[in-house]
Amino acid sequence: MEITGGREAATQGEAKEWYRQFTSRSASVALARRQVGKVLERWGYAREDIDRVVLVTSELATNALVHGRVAGRRWEVRLIRVENGCLVEVSDANSRMPQRKTPDEEDEYGRGLLVAAAVADGLGHRERRDLGKTVWARLSQSVPEEPRREPEKREKPGEREKPRKRGESGESEKPGKRGGPGEE
C-alpha cells in the first residue's frame, strides 16, 4: 500500500496539522484510522476523543473511497488541531458533492454521513481549488473529569495517632512466634 505526501507541520515545536495521501484501495481506510489514532496520541488527545475522531475519519474516508474514487487519483486525510478540538478533512478527486441519505432499517449502506454528523459538532463540504472536493468535520475535545479525591480525615484534638516505635507493626503477634528468623 502506498502512502504519499505525508507531513506534519510544526509551530513552535508543537504539531498543529498533519496529512497523508492514500491510494484507492479498501485497506487504505484501516491504515488511515491507525495513523490518525497515532497522531492524536502524540498530540495528547484523550482516548475518548481519539476514538470519536477515528470513527469520523473512517466514515469520511470510506465515502471518499466508495463514492469519490477517480482512477489514478489518491484521496487525502488532513487533521488540523483547533482550539478545544480537531478538524478532520477528507479530500478526493471527484467533484460530485456528498448527499445525506435516509436509509431504511434493512439498508446495509448509506449511514456514513449520518454517523459523522451525530458524532461531530459540525459537518460540511467544499470544492477544492485544484480538483474534487473536501468533506470536513469539526469535533470538540471532551473536558477531562477531575480525579475524585477522598475527603480528608480531620483529626479531633487529642485523637492523634501515636507514632509507633521501630519494629512495631500494629498487628498482634501470633502465639508462639517471637523474635526474628532463627530466634526462639
Side-chain angles (χ1 to χ4, degrees), residues 95-143:
S95 59
R96 186 181 59 202
M97 294 298 163
Q99 296 177 350
R100 288 189 197 180
K101 295 180 180 180
T102 307
D104 292 330
E105 288 182 22
E106 293 84 31
D107 290 341
E108 292 183 39
Y109 305 101
R111 291 179 177 80
L113 289 177
L114 294 173
V115 169
V119 174
D121 298 314
L123 182 69
H125 58 273
R126 66 177 182 275
E127 289 183 27
R128 293 175 76 193
R129 274 185 270 156
D130 51 350
L131 177 67
K133 67 181 169 298
T134 297
V135 181
W136 58 267
R138 188 181 192 297
L139 293 96
S140 297
Q141 283 181 279
S142 60
V143 179

Side-chain angles (χ1 to χ4, degrees), residues 140-156:
S140 297
Q141 283 181 279
S142 60
V143 179
E145 289 184 18
E146 290 289 323
R148 293 186 181 191
R149 294 183 184 179
E150 292 295 323
E152 289 185 27
K153 188 176 179 181
R154 295 186 179 223
E155 298 174 358
K156 294 181 184 174

Side-chain angles (χ1 to χ4, degrees), residues 48-145:
E48 176 184 327
D49 296 326
I50 293 170
D51 292 344
R52 289 184 311 115
V53 173
V54 167
L55 173 63
V56 169
T57 301
S58 182
E59 295 299 336
L60 299 183
T62 300
N63 283 350
L65 186 67
V66 172
H67 304 293
R69 185 182 300 206
V70 173
R73 300 287 185 164
R74 291 177 168 76
W75 54 276
E76 176 181 296
V77 175
R78 181 178 304 270
L79 298 178
I80 302 167
R81 187 188 308 199
V82 295
E83 187 176 345
N84 298 320
C86 183
L87 181 65
V88 179
E89 297 182 340
V90 177
S91 303
D92 61 56
N94 191 317
S95 59
R96 186 181 59 202
M97 294 298 163
Q99 296 177 350
R100 288 189 197 180
K101 295 180 180 180
T102 307
D104 292 330
E105 288 182 22
E106 293 84 31
D107 290 341
E108 292 183 39
Y109 305 101
R111 291 179 177 80
L113 289 177
L114 294 173
V115 169
V119 174
D121 298 314
L123 182 69
H125 58 273
R126 66 177 182 275
E127 289 183 27
R128 293 175 76 193
R129 274 185 270 156
D130 51 350
L131 177 67
K133 67 181 169 298
T134 297
V135 181
W136 58 267
R138 188 181 192 297
L139 293 96
S140 297
Q141 283 181 279
S142 60
V143 179
E145 289 184 18

